[in-house]
């Protein structure tokens, strides 16, 4: 079962409906074992995010997933897993 933050709303639209990455494969944002150049991978993903209108809720989703699972994977809202982990840890420290 996915973390609560990954569940889609039962009614209406959510931010994913307007995401620039909608319809792109997850391989654009979630690194597979075949990726050799992590910097190029992250740059390609964040370039897509740079043109997106919903990066804030996307980043919030990535942070929420990390807080719930302790696992940071993939580019969310233009932020790399390392950046998301840092943001999440800062948020957890403020509570």
């Amino acid at each position: 079962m996915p973390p609560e933050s990954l569940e889609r709303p039962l009614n209406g639209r959510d931010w994913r409906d307007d995401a620039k990455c909608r319809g792109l494969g997850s391989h654009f944002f979630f690194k597979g074992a075949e990726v050799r150049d992590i910097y190029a991978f992250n740059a390609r993903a964040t370039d897509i995010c740079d043109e997106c209108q919903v990066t804030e809720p996307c980043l919030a989703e990535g942070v929420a997933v990390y807080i719930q699972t302790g696992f940071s994977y993939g580019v969310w809202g233009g932020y790399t897993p390392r950046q998301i982990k840092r943001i999440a840890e800062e948020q957890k420290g403020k509570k």
Side-chain angles (χ1 to χ4, degrees):
M1 176 169 212
E4 289 177 26
S5 64
L6 293 180
E7 294 176 7
R8 295 181 60 85
L10 296 176
N11 56 353
R13 296 171 59 86
D14 88 358
W15 65 267
R16 293 175 198 89
D17 296 325
D18 299 317
K20 183 77 175 174
C21 62
R22 184 173 171 83
L24 296 178
S26 61
H27 64 279
F28 280 95
F29 301 94
F30 298 94
K31 180 184 82 61
E34 74 284 353
V35 172
R36 301 278 183 242
D37 185 347
I38 190 65
Y39 299 105
F41 174 85
N42 287 338
R44 181 182 68 177
T46 56
D47 283 349
I48 295 167
C49 298
D50 287 345
E51 298 178 18
C52 187
Q53 300 296 312
V54 293
T55 54
E56 287 183 26
C58 182
L59 173 59
E61 184 92 0
V63 170
V65 168
Y66 177 79
I67 289 171
Q68 290 178 23
T69 66
F71 186 67
S72 180
Y73 187 69
V75 172
W76 295 82
Y79 289 79
T80 66
R82 181 177 287 166
Q83 293 168 317
I84 291 168
K85 180 179 179 181
R86 188 172 346 149
I87 292 167
E89 293 296 334
E90 288 172 3
Q91 286 184 8
K92 286 173 26 179
K94 291 179 181 177
K95 291 184 178 181

